[in-house]
Structures are given as C-alpha cells and as structure tokens.
Amino acid sequence: MIQKTYLKTKDLCKVKFTVTPENAETVEILGLNNDWENPAVMSKKKGGTFTYDASLPKNTQHEFRYRVNQSEWMNEPEADEQKPNEFGSSNSVIVL
C-alpha cells in the first residue's frame, strides 16, 4: 500500500510504503531516487507488516521494487504504473 501526503509548504510529498509479504524476515526498497545500490530498510511491525516513510520531490516519478529476505523481488500492487525492466520483469512506479 502507498499513502501520499503532499506538503503545502514544501515541494515534497511524504510517502508511506506498507507491505505484508508472507514469511518475511527483512524487506528493503530499492530504486527510490534511482538508487539501486543502497536499499532503504523497511521497519517490521507486529503482525508481519513492514513500513517505510520517504520524502520525495513533487512532480517526479520513481521506479522501485521490494526485496524480501534479500533474495525475492516483489512489486507494489497499488503502484501508479508497472514498467518493464532489463531483467525481463517489471518495476513498480510511483508518480508524485
């Protein structure tokens, strides 16, 4: 799930990512701000839900994917778009 909160006083949008993959010990987001090398580690909550809050510039779009247990790739079903990638699968896209 993605929640977007646009800030009135700044050119930023606060974005909350929430995902509940089965049997997950760790979940990371890769690709935000085109950074596929430094994953954003999501916080694990009770019940197996993982969350991450990011402040991203308005009027931008970002490709990303979740990496579960450092091995399994997962897309966001509620993303604004899905875009094919060079590995034969697709990336989730958030449009702000």
Side-chain angles (χ1 to χ4, degrees), residues 6-25:
Y6 290 92
L7 303 177
K8 292 180 181 177
T9 57
K10 297 180 182 174
D11 285 337
L12 294 174
C13 179
K14 289 190 124 191
V15 183
K16 182 173 187 170
F17 297 89
T18 304
V19 65
T20 310
E22 290 185 30
N23 304 316
E25 295 299 319

Side-chain angles (χ1 to χ4, degrees), residues 29-67:
I29 303 176
L30 286 94
L32 290 180
N33 289 320
N34 205 28
D35 188 352
W36 293 91
E37 301 296 322
N38 299 299
V41 178
M42 299 183 79
S43 300
K44 188 172 185 177
K45 307 294 182 190
K46 289 182 180 178
T49 297
F50 290 80
T51 63
Y52 182 76
D53 295 317
S55 293
L56 300 170
K58 289 181 184 176
N59 303 313
T60 59
Q61 64 179 25
H62 305 268
E63 292 185 38
F64 70 97
R65 291 191 86 185
Y66 300 115
R67 186 168 61 188

Side-chain angles (χ1 to χ4, degrees), residues 4 26 29-30 37 47 49 63 72-75 79 94 96:
K4 301 175 189 176
T26 62
I29 303 176
L30 286 94
E37 301 296 322
T49 297
E63 292 185 38
E72 181 185 338
W73 292 95
M74 187 175 121
N75 282 356
I94 183 171
L96 305 172

